[in-house]
Amino acid sequence: ARIFIPLFVVLEALFLIALMADGFSSLADNREQLLIFNLLLAAVIGLILLHSAFEEDVPRWSHGLIVALAVLGVLADGVAIAAIASRLGEWGATPNRLTVLGGNLVFFGTLVALLARWGRLRGGSPMRATRDVLNRALAVFVLWSATVTVLVPVLYGFRVAGETQAQFEWSTADTMPIEEVEE
């Protein structure tokens, strides 16, 4: 964590600068960039978790880097949420877009809760406060994962099955070799 946290602070700052130079529309139109954003946010949460799990007496500069990482994470996630909302507005709601939006909202809420808790901290251990917030956030992550794993496929399956079944049957028959179709 001591090696990767400074690197990720620099990486996240450069990523945001590159995004501002490239323009918001490029992020809203590019799924791969949004995926990289989400992987970056997952790495930020992971680094904060690793940092708080193994060290109790951290130097002040180290905690400062963690705060900078969380602040940059909130900014990056805010941009990602705006890009996903733009995609929802332009191309409509799909289970994938709604799932990604929900995941980003969970990341955003976790990072904001961490920053709020650190801001209220008076003399206590920042690592203990971080662990408390992340332990509570774990329940939200698990609930969201269960929702995406169980509920979204059920809802999506019922809504789409009737619309696409005929199209799927046509495309499958169209791609089968002639010998199989004649039998």
Side-chain angles (χ1 to χ4, degrees):
R2 288 184 188 203
I3 295 170
F4 288 109
I5 289 171
L7 291 175
F8 262 81
V9 168
V10 171
L11 176 69
E12 207 170 4
L14 290 174
F15 204 64
L16 285 170
I17 290 168
L19 174 70
M20 289 187 311
D22 201 21
F24 176 77
S25 64
S26 69
L27 179 64
D29 294 338
N30 192 333
R31 288 176 13 159
E32 288 77 22
Q33 277 187 330
L34 278 172
L35 176 65
I36 292 170
F37 247 71
N38 287 333
L39 293 174
L40 180 68
L41 291 169
V44 166
I45 297 284
L47 282 172
I48 292 171
L49 178 66
L50 282 174
H51 189 264
S52 68
F54 296 115
E55 299 187 26
E56 193 61 42
D57 296 324
V58 297
R60 190 173 184 93
W61 64 267
S62 181
H63 183 64
L65 284 174
I66 290 292
V67 170
L69 190 64
V71 167
L72 289 170
V74 166
L75 293 174
D77 203 10
V79 170
I81 289 169
I84 295 165
S86 172
R87 291 177 66 82
L88 282 169
E90 188 171 339
W91 293 305
T94 65
N96 287 344
R97 288 187 195 117
L98 294 175
T99 298
V100 171
L101 178 63
N104 277 65
L105 291 171
V106 171
F107 282 138
F108 187 81
T110 301
L111 291 172
V112 167
L114 281 168
L115 290 171
R117 182 73 185 268
W118 291 333
R120 291 189 312 258
L121 193 62
R122 302 286 181 246
S125 167
M127 296 302 107
R128 176 92 177 144
T130 302
R131 284 191 296 269
D132 289 345
V133 169
L134 291 177
N135 284 337
R136 288 189 185 107
L138 180 62
V140 177
F141 282 112
V142 169
L143 182 63
W144 180 247
S145 297
T147 300
V148 168
T149 304
V150 176
L151 189 60
V152 170
V154 169
L155 293 175
Y156 181 68
F158 287 133
R159 185 177 66 84
V160 176
E163 299 170 5
T164 60
Q165 187 174 4
Q167 183 181 14
F168 177 74
E169 289 172 357
W170 175 80
S171 67
T172 304
D174 191 43
T175 60
M176 290 177 19
I178 302 275
E179 299 81 39
E180 291 181 23
V181 174
E182 291 176 359
E183 293 178 0

